[in-house]
Amino acid sequence: MKLIIRQYLASLKERDELDVLIPELLSQMGLNVYSRPGRGTSQEGVDVAAVGSIDGGPEKIYLFTIKPGDYGRQDWADTSPQSVVASLRDIVHSYLPDRVPTEHREKPVVICFALGGEVKEVASRRLNGFIRNEVKGDNLTAEIWNGEKLADLILRHFLREDLLPADMRGEFRKALAMVDEPDIAYRHFRRLASSLVNSGKSSPKANLRSVRLLALTTGVLFGWSRDSGNLEAAYRSSELALLSAWHMIREALDRKVANAAAMTNAFESIVLIHLQISRQWLDKDIFPHAGKKHALSIATNSRSTVDINLKLFDVVGRVAMSGLWALWQAERSDDQQLQDRAVAWAQLHGRAVVSIINENPALHLPLKDDQAIDIFLAMYLEYSLCNGPGNIVNWASTITQMASHALRAGSLYPCIFDDYDELIRHPEDGDEYLKRATAGSILYPTLGAWAAVCGARDLLATIGELQSSVLTHSNFQYWYPDDATEAHLYLGDEHHGAVMSHIDCRASGDAFLARLDDECAASSEYWKLSAVRHSWWPIVLVACRHHRIPPPLHLITTAEA
Amino acid sequence: MECARDLLLRHWKAGRLADYLRSSDLDGLDRDEVVKQLAELHNIQLVDAVVAFRDLKCVTCADYSFFQAADVFVDALPELTTSIEDLLPTIANLDRESGNDAGGLRLLRTFCTLLLSRPNWLTDALGMIENAPDEYHRVLSPILVQCGNSDEDLIARAIHLSGHDSIQIRIGAVHAMSQFDWVAYPDLAASAFDAVERRSLEDTDPTIMRVTISAALKLSAAYPNQEARARSLIGKFLDESPSDCIAWTAQQMRWHGASWGDQTIAMVLRAFRLNTADDAGAVPTIDAALAALLESPRHVESLAALADLVERFGKMDEKNFVSSARAIRANPSLQRRVATRWLASPIPNLSRSVRAIATSRVRPASPIEADPAELDCENTSLLGFLARKAIGHLFDHPYDLSAFLISLIRVAAADEARSLIGTYLQEMILENYPGDVSAFVTELSIKEGQEAKETIDKALSFAQNYHKDLGSVSSVQSLRPSRADRYAYQLYFSRILQKAHEEGATLSPLLSSFPRSILLYGRASIDHVTDLSGASRRMTTNLQTVTSYVEVPIARIVDPVGLETMLAAFRVERMSP
C-alpha cells in the first residue's frame, strides 16, 4: 500500500493536487489548518499553515512550502520568486515577522518543505546548507517532508487498519489494479464508497474521516488512471465520490456542527479532483476530436452502432455537465476576471457540444430513452449560456424526425431497454415488440418541454403527432422529486420521486408548459434538496446523470419564470 | 466365375432378365460384352430381349437402375433381329417409362434410325400407331419429326394425320408440323397452314391449341408473307384462353422469338403487356421469353414490355425477372440504357429494379454507367436527381454506383453539375468505402477527360483528408466499450455470421447437392476411389481457400438510421417538372 501511495504522491502536481491533499492530511492528523492555498494573494512563501501537536509533542506552528515531484539540481538553480529557496527566504524574512497569528506567536515554528517525490543527493547537500545558514532563530526549525514521510503519515492517519479495514483496502487495490477496465474498477470503488458511507454514520468524526478517505482514494485512483492513459474509471468514481461525500456532509451543513467547515473543505477537495479529472479527460480525449467529422464515433474503436451511440450520448452529457460546473463557478465567484474566465470556459463547452452533435450523426437519434438525460443537460447548458433557442430546436427537431422515421421503418428507434444484450438485438420485428420497447418515454416529453420553452410550436406538434400515431401505447412521463429524494438522490440506493404519467404532447405549447409548471409547483421538494438550498445545484445534475434520473424540470421552468 | 452370357441366360430362364440388368450385379461386368451377348442370345433365340423389356418399369423419375437396363437394350437394339410388330410395344413402353428423360430421346433416336434403314418398318409402325393411338401416340411425333425432315411424303402424311379422328394423333401430327423445316417444302406449307387453321377452328383442347400455335409460328417464320395468318390464329386463342395462350406463346418466344416477324413479336408483346388475366404465375415464362429477345438485336420492343410488366407485377430482384436482369447485365449498352431510363422513371418499381441489373457487390467487369443518349446533359437538376436516385438504389453496390456517378460527371455539361455529383461521389462513396472501391475510382479517374478527372481528383483529395483525420484519431481508451460489452457483441456478431453462413449453405446448389465431409486437419484430402474397371485409385485433392471481402460503409456503423433515412429520401424523390 505504501508503494501505491508513494507513486501517487510522486505523480501529484502542486497546484490543486498536493496542496489540497496536505491540508486534509494535517487536519486528519489533528492539526488546525489556519491557512490554505489561495490564488492571486501573497502568501509570503507559505502554501499551508497549521498549528498543533504531532505524536503528543509540543504544540508548534507548521509552515509548508510545497513542490510537486522530486527536487534536484535544476530546482536548486531556479532563482525565480516561486522557487523553493525563495519561498523559504520569504517565510523567514516576511512571514514570520508579520503574518503569524497573534495567538500563536509564542509557539515554536517548523518550516516544512513538502514534496511528492524526494530531494536528490546533490540538491540535498546544498539545501541542507542553505537551511543551516538561513533558517536560524529561537524556536525555529526546518524539516523536509518528502514522499516517503507523507506516505507514512497517510498510512498512519488515513489508511490504518482500524480506519480502512482489510476488505475496503482490497476493494481499493482492485479498483486501482483494474483502471484499464473501468467498469470493474468502478464496481470496486463503488463498494469502497458504500463502505465508507456506512462507516461514517457512527459519528461526525467518522463521517469527516470517511469524506477525507474518499478524497484520498479518489485522488489515488485519479493518479493511477492518469498513468494508465484511461481516465474513465477515475471520472465515474469521482462522480460517485462527489455524490457520496455530499450525502455524508449535507446534514452537518444544515446543523452547522463543529466540523462543518472541515467537511466542506474535504468535500471541496473531491469536487476539485472531479473537475480536474473532467477537464483532463476533455482536453485529452474529447476536445481534440470534437470538430472532426465522425472522429469521436471512430475513436470508440467499435464496429457496433450501439457502442458508438451509448458512448457519444455519455460524452455529450459529460461535456455539458463540465460546462454547467463552469457556469456554477462563475456564479459563485465575486472576482469578475474569474467569472469571465469561467463563462468563457462554459462557452467553449457549449461550442464543443454543438460540434460533437454536428460531426457525429449517431447523436441525431438516441438509442435508449434515458439518453434524454444527456440531451437535457446539453440543452440546459445551451439554454444557460443564453445562446438562443436555435441549436436546441434544431437538435430536438432532428431527433424527433429521425425517431419518427426509425419508428415507422422499424430501424434503431429509441427503446426503454437498459441491458446491453437487449440493445444489440434491438429492434426485433413485430408490433408487440415495438410496444414493449416503447412502453414508456421520458425522451419525447423532454423534447416537448424544450420545444415549449423555446416556443417551437411546430416541433411540439410533430411530437404530438408521433404520440397520436405510432406511440399511442407509450406512457409519456416525467420524473419529479418527492420527500424521499433528498435521502436517496445522491447515493442512488433506492427508488424515490414520483412520475407524472400520460403527458399529452398534443396540447398547445402554453398548455403543455403550464401543466409541467403546475407539477413543478406542486413538487416543491426540489427546493428542499440540500444541494439546491446550499447553492450546489450541479450536484443534483451530477446525481441525475450518474444514477440515470431525469433532471428536474424546475431548472427550466424557474429559469423561464 | 460365371461369364456374362451364362448370367444372362440363367436370369432369362428364371424370368428375371430385365431385373438382373437393372441390378448392381452388372457393375462387375464388361458392359459392352453384356450388350453383345444379349444381342447374340436374342438372335439365336435363347432369350427374347424385346419381350424381356416390354414390361420394364421406371419406379421413380430418378430410377437409375431403369435407365441402366434400358441403355443396355438401346445399345443392343440395332443388332436385334425382330419384327416391328414385336418391337413397337417395347419401344412405346420404354419411351413412356422414360418420361421426358434424355434416355427416352436416345431410345427414340436409335429407333428412328432403325426405321429409316427399314422403310417398310416405318410404314408399318405408322399404321400400328394409327390403329392403336392410345398405346402408341407418344412415339408418333418423334417418328414424324426425325424421319420426316427428309421425306416429303411423311410431311404430307403428318398434314393428313392432323385431321385424324383421334385427338392424340392430331396432337402428335400438329406437334410434328411445328418442328419441320418448312422452308424446304413450299408446296406443302399452304396445306399445312390450312390444316392448323382448321385445328384452331375445330379443336378446343388446350394441348391442340399449344401445338397449333407452335406450328403456325414455325410456318410464319418460314414464310413471312403468311405471318398474318399466324397472328390471326394466335389472336383467336388469346381471346378464348388468354392465360394459357400467353404462357405457351412466351415459351415459344423464348426458343424461337428471334426468327419471328416484327408484327408477330409486337402482337405477342402487346398481349404480354395487356395480359388481363393478371396471372403472376405466367411471369417467369414471359420473363424467360423477354430475356431471349433482349439477348437478340431486337431488344427495343421487349424492353418496353418488360418495363410494363415490372411496373405491374413488382420490382425486378433476385427472384423476379431474373432472366431479363441477366440478359440486361450481359449487354453493357442495354444495361446503360435501362439503368438511366429506369432511374429517371417516376415509377417506383422501375427505379427499384435497377439494383437487380447491378452486377454484384464485388468488382464488376462492366459496371453500370449512365447513357448520354437518354439524358439532357445540360440539365443540372436532372443529373443531380439521377445521381441521388442511383445513390438511393445502388448504395450497397459501390462499384456500380461509382461508375454511374463518374459517367454522370463525364457527360455533365456544366461545372455546377460536375461539382454536385463530385460531392456525392466523395461523401457517399469515397468516404464510406476507403479500400478497394476508392482504388477503383482512382483507376477510373485516370481514364477520364480533363474536366471529369479534376472533379474526381478533388473528391478523392477531400476524402483522403477525411480518412487522414479519422486515422489520426487513435482509439480513445476511455471511450472503448467495456470488456463485457465487447464480449457480448462479439458473441452476437459471430452468431449472426454463423446463421448467415448456414442460410447461405442451404441456398448453394453445390453444397445442398453433395454430402459434405469435414476435414479437421491438413491442406489436402486423400481418398481411395474404385474406377469402372474395379481398380482402386488414390486421389489427392488440394484444399482451396475461399475468401470474400466486402467493405462495410462507415455510415452503416456511425449513422445507420441517418443513412437509411437519406437513402429512402433519395429513392422516393421525384423529378420536379
Side-chain angles (χ1 to χ4, degrees):
Chain A
M1 188 59 93
K2 188 174 176 184
L3 205 62
I4 291 172
I5 302 298
R6 278 214 58 186
Q7 195 176 337
Y8 160 62
L9 289 169
S11 74
L12 293 182
K13 294 184 291 186
E14 176 194 350
R15 178 64 68 193
D16 291 340
E17 293 188 5
L18 198 55
D19 62 2
V20 171
L21 174 72
I22 287 175
E24 291 305 311
L25 174 64
L26 296 173
S27 294
Q28 185 63 26
M29 288 163 67
L31 273 69
N32 175 19
V33 180
Y34 67 83
S35 173
R36 287 171 179 273
R39 283 189 192 178
T41 54
S42 169
Q43 298 177 85
E44 312 293 3
V46 174
D47 290 317
V48 176
V51 63
S53 155
I54 295 177
D55 297 334
E59 280 214 339
K60 294 179 183 174
I61 297 172
Y62 292 89
L63 303 174
F64 287 86
T65 189
I66 299 171
K67 188 201 167 301
D70 295 331
Y71 186 82
R73 190 201 303 257
Q74 279 188 335
D75 298 297
W76 173 258
D78 183 7
T79 53
S80 71
Q82 286 78 34
S83 71
V84 171
V85 169
S87 294
L88 293 173
R89 275 201 188 108
D90 280 351
I91 293 172
V92 173
H93 299 298
S94 303
Y95 188 92
L96 286 178
D98 302 325
R99 303 284 295 271
V100 176
T102 321
E103 65 270 28
H104 303 311
R105 279 200 178 276
E106 301 308 317
K107 292 174 184 162
V109 174
V110 183
I111 296 175
C112 301
F113 169 35
L115 70 164
E118 59 186 41
V119 180
K120 299 289 182 190
E121 201 178 336
V122 178
S124 176
R125 281 199 304 274
R126 292 177 181 175
L127 187 62
N128 286 330
F130 170 79
I131 289 171
R132 269 198 306 277
N133 294 329
E134 299 276 336
V135 185
K136 289 190 293 193
D138 294 339
N139 283 341
L140 179 62
T141 52
E143 290 179 9
I144 295 173
W145 288 28
N146 59 14
E148 182 78 14
K149 182 176 173 82
L150 288 171
D152 272 337
L153 292 169
I154 286 171
L155 283 172
R156 273 170 55 202
H157 295 280
F158 273 116
L159 305 175
R160 271 199 330 259
E161 186 70 20
D162 58 324
L163 300 178
L164 194 69
D167 57 338
M168 282 200 230
R169 282 170 182 245
E171 297 295 354
F172 183 42
R173 271 197 292 261
K174 284 176 196 165
L176 295 180
M178 300 305 290
V179 287
D180 277 336
E181 284 299 335
D183 267 12
I184 303 172
Y186 173 76
R187 208 180 306 145
H188 291 297
F189 190 86
R190 191 182 179 103
R191 286 190 200 130
L192 171 69
S194 175
S195 299
L196 287 172
V197 170
N198 286 332
S199 65
K201 285 175 184 167
S202 59
S203 67
K205 197 177 166 191
N207 209 14
L208 176 59
R209 194 169 55 227
S210 285
V211 176
R212 283 179 177 152
L213 266 173
L214 263 179
L216 178 75
T217 48
T218 307
V220 176
L221 188 68
F222 174 32
W224 277 59
S225 298
R226 188 165 49 190
D227 287 350
S228 78
N230 185 351
L231 288 170
E232 178 66 8
Y235 185 95
R236 290 168 63 187
S237 299
S238 67
E239 259 191 354
L240 183 69
L242 175 73
L243 295 169
S244 302
W246 181 263
H247 180 84
M248 287 190 276
I249 70 159
R250 66 202 162 92
E251 283 180 15
L253 293 182
D254 280 343
R255 282 189 276 126
K256 298 198 168 26
V257 293
N259 60 3
M263 284 206 175
T264 307
N265 283 336
F267 171 74
E268 284 181 350
S269 70
I270 297 178
V271 173
L272 213 55
I273 292 171
H274 171 66
L275 294 181
Q276 272 186 316
I277 293 169
S278 173
R279 182 163 187 164
Q280 283 194 20
W281 177 70
L282 291 171
D283 283 346
K284 177 175 159 281
D285 289 354
I286 306 302
F287 287 162
H289 314 305
K292 293 178 187 167
K293 188 177 174 182
H294 298 160
L296 281 173
S297 305
I298 295 297
T300 58
N301 195 26
S302 172
R303 288 177 302 175
S304 162
T305 300
V306 173
D307 291 335
I308 294 170
N309 189 287
L310 297 181
K311 281 293 168 189
L312 287 187
F313 273 98
D314 190 42
V315 165
V316 162
R318 292 186 192 190
V319 177
M321 201 58 244
S322 178
L324 289 166
W325 274 111
L327 283 179
W328 171 83
Q329 285 172 320
E331 192 180 292
R332 270 170 70 107
S333 174
D334 297 329
D335 183 335
Q336 187 61 43
Q337 264 192 332
L338 281 179
Q339 275 184 12
D340 292 346
R341 221 167 31 220
V343 169
W345 180 233
Q347 285 286 8
L348 181 78
H349 284 72
R351 286 194 296 274
V353 167
V354 173
S355 286
I356 293 169
I357 293 167
N358 288 341
E359 302 300 344
N360 295 278
L363 289 166
H364 296 171
L365 180 65
L367 177 64
K368 284 171 68 184
D369 191 76
D370 76 357
Q371 285 167 332
I373 298 163
D374 304 301
I375 293 169
F376 183 101
L377 293 176
M379 289 182 174
Y380 185 54
L381 173 64
E382 186 70 6
Y383 181 79
S384 304
L385 289 169
C386 303
N387 287 341
N391 287 329
I392 297 173
V393 174
N394 280 346
W395 193 25
S397 301
T398 306
I399 292 173
T400 307
Q401 281 167 14
M402 295 287 280
S404 171
H405 175 83
L407 281 161
R408 289 182 165 95
S411 53
L412 290 160
Y413 52 82
C415 66
I416 57 170
F417 304 133
D418 199 41
D419 185 68
Y420 185 79
D421 281 333
E422 279 190 294
L423 290 172
I424 52 178
R425 279 169 182 75
H426 174 73
E428 292 175 10
D429 292 334
D431 282 352
E432 279 313 306
Y433 175 85
L434 184 132
K435 284 181 183 168
R436 197 159 59 83
T438 55
S441 177
I442 60 159
L443 172 66
Y444 303 104
T446 303
L447 297 175
W450 281 108
V453 167
C454 295
R457 288 179 187 173
D458 291 348
L459 173 57
L460 187 60
T462 308
I463 297 167
E465 194 277 325
L466 203 58
Q467 184 179 23
S468 56
S469 54
V470 278
L471 291 173
T472 47
H473 58 277
S474 183
N475 180 11
F476 281 20
Q477 56 196 282
Y478 210 83
W479 175 89
Y480 288 86
D482 67 5
D483 52 4
T485 299
E486 171 64 15
H488 303 293
L489 175 67
Y490 312 109
L491 296 183
D493 51 350
E494 293 282 346
H495 287 293
H496 56 90
V499 163
M500 182 163 76
S501 270
H502 308 297
I503 296 173
D504 188 357
C505 291
R506 290 163 296 189
S508 73
D510 292 342
F512 179 78
L513 208 53
R515 191 167 172 210
L516 300 180
D517 275 351
D518 290 348
E519 192 50 47
C520 285
S523 305
S524 58
E525 281 78 6
Y526 169 76
W527 304 107
K528 297 174 191 163
L529 292 174
S530 54
V532 176
R533 280 187 288 107
H534 291 285
S535 303
W536 280 90
W537 54 264
I539 290 174
V540 175
L541 296 178
V542 172
C544 289
R545 207 196 79 77
H546 194 85
H547 300 307
R548 308 314 288 165
I549 299 164
L553 286 176
H554 303 70
L555 286 161
I556 49 176
T557 50
T558 309
E560 184 66 8
Chain B
M1 192 177 156
E2 215 172 358
C3 65
R5 187 184 181 89
D6 295 343
L7 284 166
L8 291 171
L9 205 52
R10 180 156 66 79
H11 284 101
W12 165 252
K13 283 176 183 167
R16 297 195 307 107
L17 178 61
D19 287 341
Y20 169 67
L21 289 172
R22 67 192 298 173
S23 73
S24 58
D25 295 349
L26 211 60
D27 290 350
L29 299 177
D30 180 350
R31 193 179 164 285
D32 292 343
E33 182 62 16
V34 172
V35 170
K36 185 182 159 201
Q37 290 302 327
L38 180 67
E40 278 184 19
L41 288 170
H42 174 87
N43 292 341
I44 58 173
Q45 296 180 357
L46 285 178
V47 302
D48 190 337
V50 176
V51 169
F53 283 87
R54 195 166 288 161
D55 296 319
L56 189 68
K57 295 294 174 202
C58 182
V59 181
T60 65
C61 59
D63 184 358
Y64 171 75
S65 66
F66 166 81
F67 292 103
Q68 173 185 290
D71 263 6
V72 172
F73 179 78
V74 172
D75 287 344
L77 183 58
E79 308 302 325
L80 299 182
T81 307
T82 184
S83 67
I84 187 66
E85 289 79 9
D86 284 342
L87 186 58
L88 192 59
T90 303
I91 296 293
N93 171 60
L94 291 177
D95 172 56
R96 190 169 49 245
E97 293 300 315
S98 298
N100 294 322
D101 191 90
L105 288 178
R106 185 164 167 266
L107 166 80
L108 290 174
R109 204 175 297 125
T110 309
F111 177 58
C112 289
T113 310
L114 209 59
L115 292 183
L116 287 170
S117 65
R118 300 175 194 183
N120 55 326
W121 273 28
L122 178 58
T123 312
D124 292 348
L126 288 173
M128 286 173 75
I129 294 166
E130 270 195 77
N131 291 332
D134 287 348
E135 249 174 276
Y136 303 126
H137 70 91
R138 274 182 61 94
V139 297
L140 174 62
S141 178
I143 291 174
L144 289 173
V145 172
Q146 291 196 35
C147 304
N149 259 338
S150 55
D151 186 341
E152 197 167 351
D153 290 343
L154 207 57
I155 293 174
R157 181 84 177 263
I159 296 170
H160 172 71
L161 286 175
S162 71
H164 196 272
D165 290 343
S166 161
I167 188 165
Q168 289 153 333
I169 298 290
R170 294 203 295 278
I171 289 169
V174 179
H175 180 260
M177 288 162 68
S178 72
Q179 307 291 312
F180 292 143
D181 178 10
W182 289 105
V183 178
Y185 305 103
D187 297 339
L188 293 173
S191 323
F193 250 126
D194 292 343
V196 292
E197 278 170 345
R198 238 184 343 266
R199 287 304 103 233
S200 74
L201 294 171
E202 293 173 2
D203 279 322
T204 55
D205 179 83
T207 314
I208 282 277
M209 180 204 75
R210 290 176 198 145
V211 292
T212 305
I213 289 172
S214 304
L217 287 167
K218 183 79 176 183
L219 282 160
S220 71
Y223 300 101
N225 58 342
Q226 301 288 312
E227 204 185 324
R229 295 177 74 175
R231 286 204 305 277
S232 152
L233 187 142
I234 293 168
K236 177 181 173 298
F237 284 132
L238 278 172
D239 289 343
E240 290 170 1
S241 179
S243 297
D244 208 13
C245 181
I246 283 173
W248 185 254
T249 315
Q251 215 172 80
Q252 294 304 301
M253 183 187 255
R254 179 182 181 185
W255 302 115
H256 311 295
S259 64
W260 293 359
D262 290 344
Q263 288 181 312
T264 304
I265 285 178
M267 179 198 180
V268 172
L269 291 176
R270 195 163 52 246
F272 290 168
R273 296 162 75 171
L274 303 175
N275 180 6
T276 51
D278 267 351
D279 181 5
V283 170
T285 319
I286 296 174
D287 169 44
L290 292 176
L293 216 56
L294 286 168
E295 282 164 1
S296 75
R298 308 163 72 169
H299 54 249
V300 179
E301 308 95 313
S302 57
L303 201 53
L306 177 64
D308 274 2
L309 289 167
V310 169
E311 182 186 350
R312 285 179 56 200
F313 289 105
K315 66 174 177 177
M316 184 184 266
D317 55 24
E318 60 275 7
K319 287 182 183 162
N320 303 304
F321 299 101
V322 177
S323 304
S324 297
R326 195 183 306 122
I328 294 168
R329 274 200 299 271
N331 181 341
S333 96
L334 187 60
Q335 189 187 32
R336 280 197 291 273
R337 183 184 305 177
V338 171
T340 312
R341 194 180 290 177
W342 286 9
L343 281 174
S345 166
I347 299 163
N349 276 347
L350 288 186
S351 48
R352 281 206 296 251
S353 297
V354 172
R355 186 190 285 252
I357 63 164
T359 38
S360 66
R361 293 179 189 215
V362 294
R363 189 175 179 146
S366 55
I368 295 180
E369 291 194 347
D371 185 349
E374 298 278 326
L375 290 170
D376 172 4
C377 297
E378 292 184 357
N379 186 338
T380 300
S381 303
L382 172 68
L383 296 178
F385 167 77
L386 264 179
R388 288 189 294 276
K389 276 280 181 188
I391 292 165
H393 290 290
L394 296 174
F395 182 75
D396 289 323
H397 297 262
Y399 293 103
D400 285 298
L401 179 56
S402 310
F404 191 84
L405 294 180
I406 287 173
S407 66
L408 285 178
I409 292 171
R410 185 192 311 137
V411 301
D415 286 344
E416 190 189 351
R418 275 194 295 276
S419 169
L420 177 68
I421 302 163
T423 307
Y424 291 148
L425 181 71
Q426 171 209 328
E427 291 183 351
M428 301 310 298
I429 294 289
L430 301 171
E431 288 186 357
N432 275 300
Y433 299 95
D436 287 355
V437 179
S438 287
F440 174 67
V441 171
T442 309
E443 279 175 36
L444 292 185
S445 157
I446 295 164
K447 298 172 194 161
E448 295 298 327
Q450 192 189 347
E451 285 179 331
K453 190 172 183 307
E454 276 173 11
T455 307
I456 300 165
D457 287 348
K458 192 172 159 194
L460 280 164
S461 164
F462 280 134
Q464 269 167 8
N465 289 340
Y466 164 78
H467 289 295
K468 204 168 147 192
D469 269 355
L470 288 190
S472 70
V473 181
S474 55
S475 162
V476 175
Q477 290 296 317
S478 64
L479 296 183
R480 287 195 77 192
S482 70
R483 184 194 285 178
D485 288 356
R486 291 200 303 270
Y487 177 72
Y489 183 74
Q490 276 170 4
L491 200 64
Y492 168 74
F493 193 67
S494 67
R495 280 185 190 149
I496 287 182
L497 281 184
Q498 189 183 354
K499 197 174 165 194
H501 180 74
E502 283 165 6
E503 281 174 1
T506 59
L507 293 174
S508 160
L510 198 68
L511 290 176
S512 56
S513 303
F514 295 95
R516 270 182 287 172
S517 299
I518 306 296
L519 305 183
L520 300 177
Y521 305 98
R523 58 192 186 97
S525 167
I526 302 163
D527 295 283
H528 290 270
V529 294
T530 309
D531 66 13
L532 289 175
S533 67
S536 176
R537 281 190 192 173
R538 182 178 183 275
M539 280 178 64
T540 306
T541 312
N542 289 325
L543 299 185
Q544 307 261 328
T545 304
V546 180
T547 55
S548 59
Y549 167 78
V550 178
E551 276 190 74
V552 178
I554 288 170
R556 282 247 183 271
I557 298 169
V558 300
D559 184 24
V561 181
L563 176 70
E564 275 314 318
T565 309
M566 183 174 59
L567 295 181
F570 284 174
R571 286 196 290 264
V572 299
E573 184 182 346
R574 295 209 169 197
M575 183 67 190
S576 47

